[in-house]
Amino acid sequence: MGPKYRDPKSMLITGGSSGIGKAIAADAVRQGVKVFLIARDQDKLDATVHELRSLQEDCKLATFSACVTDSAAIEAAVQTAESTHGPIDLLINSAGTAIPGYFEDISIEEFSQQLEINYLGTIRVIKSVLPSMKSRGQGWIVNVSSLAGVKGVFGYTAYCGSKFAVTGVTEALRAELYPHGIGVTLLCPPDTRTPGLAEEEATKPIETKRISETGALLEPEEVASALWKGLSNNRSLIVPGSKARLLYDVNRFAPSVIDRMLRRAANPD
């Protein structure tokens, strides 16, 4: 039969103080799920907790300030989550960063930073959560990649590299964990209105901005809604938004068509 998604009693979300992670947490709180949030900024975490409690006053909500680049801190955070809320049924790896720019302008340090957070950060959290899931023979892992994690985009060489890595490890891990009753889902949202996307405007090349203007901009709540719907249907891949899904499907069978489309968008003249 393989893994079958079950409504979680307890979940952990990295990058849970803003954007997509926060929107997922809000839905979970409304559903009565025990939610544990990990993010770097304690002030943002406190503000998020205050906002989420306004949705459900008696919600089971706890936080831990840590960066996914710190293995020891992540281990401590997961131990705290399990001692606070019990075994983690659902893990959402949503922490991420993007530094767009022309390839020659992106430093090696910036390439490394995006790999450390987007890819290795995901690995660190999974390694901390997985032993408990395997011992119970159940659980679900969601790795947030990106539409740019399945299709290279002008100006995002470093980001795409890190998110393609997330896509690859997710597919391989899914095969490994299938016999253990643990599900693994890849979430690939397009541009989403988050604080991170706003920060990207500072270094985004003009060609990248033109490409972004041709696509649909989703709200974090739309991405969260697509995630919950996809999980309820045991989906291993979730691409939110009809326009993004069409691009993904066409790219699978005719990538040159999408290449031409993106080139025209980047250089309309």
Side-chain angles (χ1 to χ4, degrees):
M1 277 286 291
K4 181 172 176 55
Y5 178 76
R6 308 168 187 172
D7 291 336
K9 295 179 180 178
S10 172
M11 65 185 294
L12 185 152
I13 307 173
T14 69
S17 64
S18 65
I20 293 171
K22 180 180 175 181
I24 294 170
D27 283 344
V29 163
R30 293 188 187 97
Q31 296 167 24
V33 181
K34 292 180 285 187
V35 177
F36 194 90
L37 303 178
I38 299 176
R40 289 176 291 182
D41 191 318
Q42 185 63 58
D43 289 339
K44 288 184 179 178
L45 279 170
D46 292 342
T48 298
V49 168
H50 179 75
E51 184 177 337
L52 295 180
R53 288 199 188 285
S54 70
L55 302 176
Q56 191 76 29
E57 188 175 340
D58 61 346
C59 64
K60 304 295 184 182
L61 185 61
T63 69
F64 196 104
S65 177
C67 182
V68 293
T69 62
D70 186 335
S71 296
I74 290 302
E75 284 281 356
V78 171
Q79 289 174 10
T80 302
E82 292 179 333
S83 63
T84 303
H85 288 161
I88 296 165
D89 298 317
L90 175 61
L91 166 63
I92 309 288
N93 277 308
S94 185
T97 188
I99 307 172
Y102 297 110
F103 175 81
E104 60 270 27
D105 295 335
I106 303 174
S107 69
I108 291 296
E109 290 74 22
E110 289 169 329
F111 269 89
S112 179
Q113 178 185 351
Q114 290 170 84
L115 278 171
E116 278 288 338
I117 294 174
N118 298 342
Y119 175 58
L120 291 176
T122 296
I123 299 299
R124 290 184 185 95
V125 182
I126 294 173
K127 279 186 169 291
S128 296
V129 169
L130 190 56
S132 174
M133 286 187 174
K134 288 186 77 171
S135 70
R136 291 179 289 125
Q138 66 181 64
W140 210 277
I141 297 168
V142 175
N143 292 332
V144 181
S145 180
S146 167
L147 200 56
V150 292
K151 183 65 182 178
V153 179
F154 189 113
Y156 279 107
T157 49
Y159 180 72
C160 286
S162 67
K163 287 299 191 178
F164 265 75
V166 172
T167 297
V169 75
T170 302
E171 293 185 357
L173 188 63
R174 183 183 304 125
E176 285 194 28
L177 297 184
Y178 184 92
H180 298 279
I182 300 168
V184 183
T185 291
L186 184 70
L187 177 65
C188 292
D191 278 351
T192 304
R193 199 190 307 276
T194 65
L197 185 67
E199 290 174 8
E200 292 168 31
E201 292 298 318
T203 59
K204 191 181 285 185
I206 183 61
E207 294 90 344
T208 312
K209 291 180 180 180
R210 290 170 182 157
I211 291 171
S212 294
E213 290 168 358
T214 66
L217 179 64
L218 297 188
E219 298 296 331
E221 293 76 14
E222 294 178 281
V223 176
S225 177
L227 171 66
W228 292 114
K229 181 178 180 181
L231 287 177
S232 67
N233 289 303
N234 264 40
R235 299 294 186 195
S236 59
L237 171 69
I238 301 170
V239 182
S242 57
K243 195 168 186 177
R245 184 71 204 200
L246 178 61
L247 186 150
Y248 173 84
D249 288 338
V250 173
N251 187 65
R252 284 179 60 205
F253 300 106
S256 61
V257 172
I258 302 301
D259 289 339
R260 287 195 298 271
M261 184 188 78
L262 294 177
R263 281 198 296 270
R264 291 195 194 102
N267 300 285
D269 298 330

